[in-house]
Amino acid sequence: MKKVLLHACCGPCAEYPLQELMKQDLEITVYFFNPNIHPVEEWTRRLEQLKKLTDKYGLKLIVDGGSDPETWLDWERNGKLDRCRMCYETRLGQAAAIAAREGMDSFLSTLQVSPYQDFELITKIGQELANKYNIEYMPVDFRPGYRTGQNMAREDGLYRQKYCGCNISLENSKFREKIFRDLEGLKAQQ
Ligand code: SF4
């Protein structure tokens, strides 16, 4: 049975890819590595939602790192002019390295379900990493199932975030004020 590492950015985006992957004869491990997610309360909340899903399906979940937004806060100063490319390379790069280290055959990401991400760039980076680590990248286009996955997340009662993850995407969100109110509420509960 092929061993696959599915990098997951959150629960809602994992719904549809998992449905599709579980139809195949695969041993799936879910991998949460998303240092871009800001602030830490949001990182924790997205991880909790993903864990609900992996518990539901009885899948192994590996959690790596934490919220580490400094690189994203400093991306211009660091000369990283393409912020999302840096973000994809960081997360997929770590996923590929872990998949290779754990002796897995393939890796892919739930980023491949989102119509808001650059699928072609993700595919290119994934294939470059596959060559580097001598494993397979699965360039599945899950985007036709994005709405299905979001509906499944709603039925499962999962929190569905209103911004991509980094501080800049938060600041640019049209739901910015509501997000900050929600985050203040989370902090007050701790
Ligand atoms: S907008 Fe999304 S993909 Fe782009 S840098 Fe921010 S978190 Fe990463």
Side-chain angles (χ1 to χ4, degrees), residues 36 72 83-84 87-88 91 117 164-166 169:
N36 55 310
W72 280 260
R83 185 177 87 251
C84 295
C87 190
Y88 299 150
R91 293 187 282 166
Q117 305 294 346
C164 191
C166 65
S169 64

Side-chain angles (χ1 to χ4, degrees), residues 90-183:
T90 301
R91 293 187 282 166
L92 290 175
Q94 182 74 355
I98 294 296
R101 190 192 76 190
E102 298 295 317
M104 295 183 184
D105 303 291
S106 309
F107 76 104
L108 73 169
S109 174
T110 59
L111 292 168
Q112 293 161 228
V113 79
S114 173
Y116 303 109
Q117 305 294 346
D118 186 337
F119 181 83
E120 285 70 30
L121 179 57
I122 291 167
T123 302
K124 183 172 179 291
I125 292 169
Q127 285 170 340
E128 287 169 0
L129 289 163
N131 292 338
K132 178 178 176 182
Y133 289 100
N134 197 28
I135 54 173
E136 180 195 26
Y137 172 65
M138 296 172 69
V140 187
D141 186 356
F142 293 114
R143 289 175 294 178
Y146 177 73
R147 289 287 159 215
T148 302
Q150 292 296 310
N151 289 336
M152 290 164 63
R154 192 180 293 113
E155 284 165 16
D156 280 342
L158 298 187
Y159 154 72
R160 291 175 298 130
Q161 64 271 8
K162 297 275 190 279
Y163 68 107
C164 191
C166 65
N167 62 312
I168 297 167
S169 64
L170 197 169
E171 291 293 342
N172 291 339
S173 172
K174 64 181 177 182
F175 302 103
R176 182 180 178 283
E177 302 306 323
K178 180 179 184 324
I179 295 165
F180 275 112
R181 277 200 305 277
D182 285 354
L183 289 169

Side-chain angles (χ1 to χ4, degrees), residues 57-97:
Y57 294 123
L59 294 171
K60 183 178 175 188
L61 171 65
I62 299 175
V63 180
D64 200 355
S67 171
D68 184 20
E70 285 308 312
T71 305
W72 280 260
L73 287 166
D74 286 349
W75 69 281
E76 280 179 309
R77 199 176 69 194
N78 291 338
K80 303 275 191 185
L81 292 179
D82 186 341
R83 185 177 87 251
C84 295
R85 172 188 285 274
M86 178 272 290
C87 190
Y88 299 150
E89 287 177 346
T90 301
R91 293 187 282 166
L92 290 175
Q94 182 74 355

